[in-house]
Amino acid sequence: MAMAELSTPQTTSPFLNSSSRLRLSSKLHLSNHFRHLLLPPLHTTTPNSKISCSVYQNSQAPVAVQENGLVKTKKECYGVFCLTYDLKAEEETRSWKKLINIAVSGAAGMISNHLLFKLASGEVFGPDQPIALKLLGSERSIQALEGVAMELEDSLFPLLREVDIGTDPNEVFQDVEWAILIGAKPRGPGMERADLLDINGQIFAEQGKALNKAASPNVKVLVVGNPCNTNALICLKNAPNIPAKNFHALTRLDENRAKCQLALKAGVFYDKVSNMTIWGNHSTTQVPDFLNARINGLPVKEVITDHKWLEEGFTESVQKRGGLLIQKWGRSSAASTAVSIVDAIKSLVTPTPEGDWFSSGVYTDGNPYGIEEGLVFSMPCRSKGDGDYELVKDVEIDDYLRKRIAKSEAELLAEKRCVAHLTGEGIAYCDLGPVDTMLPGEV
Ligand code: LMR
């Protein structure tokens, strides 16, 4: 890393339009590649407003500001996002909400590449909600993360106020209100399922600890990296200061897939399918619930009378959709996963339509369905739009559902035993059954 030093005058750049005006002050610190666009030549600077930028080898990421002898710690900010700005000054023309900090891990990956631009556009949190993105990657991905940050710069999103990139969760998670944990190791050749649980478990244990220490105490955490239910469990067990209720494992993709399959079979557009629950694990033991789902407000079984298809064809098509996609694409789903992350967050920040619900993998303590406590299990939820949720009480569980839910529950209990050393629950004992029910992307 190289250190560059420059001084700036107090000025406002003529290159910025009024809707996204960034106020430049003596606190300004700029990357070299952007500096020449915004600043007058260095000889016009005042001597007492000193700024030190340390820049990465490619001269793009300033990492520290020195002012009056104090080194400030906004050290992972990227390029244009290191500019200071004044949201208040924009209130003459816009009414902004208070800025929120959103962490995304695996930020240089394919899913993030779709997700980050949706977050920055306002599609998720609304057109009046400025955001700061905190991008977590591995040492190996740092250059790619800079590429991501550059594309975010070039997109000129008015709502995107800060982008930080980093490899240390303790720094990246500082004060975050949302954490979307996508980064996880894929299962390599010859790797046992228990090994994957252990390797990824370590990552999520570390990230849980970091969230516990650094994040906002009411941070909402959405775990996407597989095996996401057990990763979410490990994460929450390592974050005792954060309510367990705030942790989610992404099963919204499965819900969306199930809605699509029912719509196809019934010959209706998919917005006519509601009340779709995915029960259990995000694996091939998951249970897409056609008993309580509705099409055009009617029970699915009244609209689709081929019940054998519901029990077999439909269920299997949802359980194995991820695997089929991998066969076609040669990699896991990315765009539809990003869309389902957007859907999952929007379901928590907007009120659930009357009578409907959504699925999320959440902590089972206090659940009304008789599912073992201490698991992260996909269940039907409703939200008032405040970021929180409650479990739906009036769902019917017949013998068919109960039997399948029990299978997914048994799988999650076995996964939990495998990671006991990571959840503080004693010595791990791995007795995962001979049938491998993990999603094919993990093989
Ligand atoms: C999916 O459901 O598409 C993915 O979770 C599959 C995978 O294993 O990555």
Side-chain angles (χ1 to χ4, degrees):
M1 243 179 238
M3 291 291 292
E5 191 165 302
L6 70 152
S7 303
T8 67
Q10 298 242 355
T11 181
T12 301
S13 166
F15 295 93
L16 297 166
N17 67 38
S18 56
S19 70
S20 62
R21 186 177 294 275
L22 303 172
R23 175 164 295 174
L24 311 186
S25 72
S26 59
K27 287 184 195 140
L28 170 69
H29 47 132
L30 290 173
S31 66
N32 284 350
H33 84 294
F34 200 74
R35 190 193 308 142
H36 72 278
L37 286 178
L38 291 177
L39 300 179
L42 291 180
H43 64 262
T44 63
T45 57
T46 53
N48 61 350
S49 56
K50 276 203 148 192
I51 292 171
S52 293
C53 280
S54 119
V55 291
Y56 285 95
Q57 251 170 0
N58 64 358
S59 304
Q60 297 208 332
V63 295
V65 182
Q66 189 163 6
E67 211 180 39
N68 301 330
L70 282 176
V71 176
K72 302 206 164 178
T73 55
K74 193 180 174 183
K75 63 182 184 177
E76 304 287 0
C77 64
Y78 189 86
V80 70
F81 303 109
C82 297
L83 298 174
T84 56
Y85 54 82
D86 186 356
L87 287 178
K88 271 241 158 309
E90 294 180 24
E91 278 176 3
E92 279 171 26
T93 52
R94 302 288 304 248
S95 156
W96 299 114
K97 290 182 181 160
K98 190 172 162 285
L99 178 122
I100 54 170
N101 295 309
I102 305 165
V104 179
S105 79
M110 293 283 287
I111 298 171
S112 297
N113 199 38
H114 292 277
L115 177 69
L116 294 172
F117 294 82
K118 289 175 180 294
L119 291 169
S121 73
E123 187 183 330
V124 185
F125 291 99
D128 55 352
Q129 177 60 75
I131 64 166
L133 287 175
K134 317 280 177 183
L135 308 183
L136 180 66
S138 61
E139 294 289 347
R140 231 162 28 108
S141 70
I142 198 74
Q143 202 166 316
L145 275 186
E146 289 180 28
V148 172
M150 283 168 68
E151 285 208 75
L152 286 167
E153 281 186 307
D154 296 344
S155 302
L156 307 182
F157 289 118
L159 291 165
L160 180 60
R161 294 308 172 131
E162 292 171 26
V163 175
D164 292 1
I165 60 179
T167 56
D168 180 354
N170 293 295
E171 284 177 9
V172 175
F173 292 163
Q174 194 63 50
D175 298 326
V176 298
E177 280 111 343
W178 286 85
I180 305 162
L181 306 183
I182 300 173
K185 260 208 166 22
R187 189 164 165 190
M191 199 189 270
E192 290 295 322
R193 193 171 148 195
D195 299 334
L196 183 75
L197 280 165
D198 184 54
I199 293 170
N200 279 330
Q202 312 265 4
I203 296 172
F204 286 87
E206 187 200 6
Q207 293 185 359
K209 287 192 180 86
L211 285 167
N212 199 51
K213 200 167 85 186
S216 154
N218 199 26
V219 60
K220 304 291 187 291
V221 184
L222 177 59
V223 177
V224 179
N226 282 324
C228 62
N229 294 56
T230 297
N231 288 342
L233 181 70
I234 293 168
C235 201
L236 77 85
K237 289 285 180 190
N238 282 278
N241 299 337
I242 300 167
K245 217 187 160 193
N246 290 15
F247 290 79
H248 297 257
L250 184 79
T251 54
R252 186 52 171 266
L253 178 57
D254 307 301
E255 175 186 327
N256 290 354
R257 288 168 171 167
K259 282 181 166 166
C260 179
Q261 293 307 307
L262 289 179
L264 258 172
K265 182 75 173 177
V268 299
F269 200 61
Y270 32 69
D271 63 348
K272 301 289 182 286
V273 185
S274 64
N275 305 80
M276 187 71 241
T277 311
I278 299 294
W279 296 96
N281 200 1
H282 176 66
S283 79
T284 56
T285 66
Q286 66 177 269
V287 189
D289 174 354
F290 54 81
L291 181 66
N292 291 288
R294 295 184 162 254
I295 298 174
N296 274 323
L298 295 169
V300 165
K301 281 173 113 173
E302 280 178 28
V303 180
I304 299 172
T305 49
D306 182 353
H307 295 175
K308 187 167 159 38
W309 177 82
L310 287 172
E311 289 185 9
E312 292 167 14
F314 163 68
T315 300
E316 199 167 300
S317 70
V318 179
Q319 291 170 333
K320 299 197 169 158
R321 182 78 166 177
L324 187 59
L325 243 144
I326 290 167
Q327 276 174 26
K328 304 277 180 198
W329 254 125
R331 58 153 177 81
S332 290
S333 56
S336 57
T337 304
V339 169
S340 72
I341 294 171
V342 169
D343 291 342
I345 298 173
K346 275 166 82 174
S347 288
L348 292 169
V349 298
T350 47
T352 311
E354 192 57 40
D356 202 358
W357 61 70
F358 58 91
S359 303
S360 191
V362 290
Y363 202 47
T364 48
D365 279 22
N367 79 85
Y369 320 112
I371 296 160
E372 185 97 24
E373 302 215 325
L375 295 175
V376 172
F377 203 87
S378 186
M379 299 182 283
C381 306
R382 291 182 50 79
S383 175
K384 294 188 178 74
D386 53 1
D388 217 336
Y389 66 89
E390 60 201 33
L391 294 174
V392 178
K393 294 198 178 63
D394 48 353
V395 289
E396 188 190 341
I397 301 185
D398 64 2
D399 282 349
Y400 171 92
L401 271 185
R402 194 169 302 287
K403 226 166 102 193
R404 277 153 187 82
I405 288 172
K407 194 171 163 204
S408 210
E409 181 187 29
E411 177 180 57
L412 280 168
L413 283 166
E415 287 187 20
K416 186 181 174 183
R417 283 193 292 276
C418 272
V419 297
H421 59 306
L422 298 169
T423 56
E425 285 167 5
I427 298 166
Y429 167 67
C430 228
D431 60 344
L432 292 164
V435 183
D436 200 331
T437 52
M438 270 204 173
L439 293 159
E442 292 149 2
V443 180

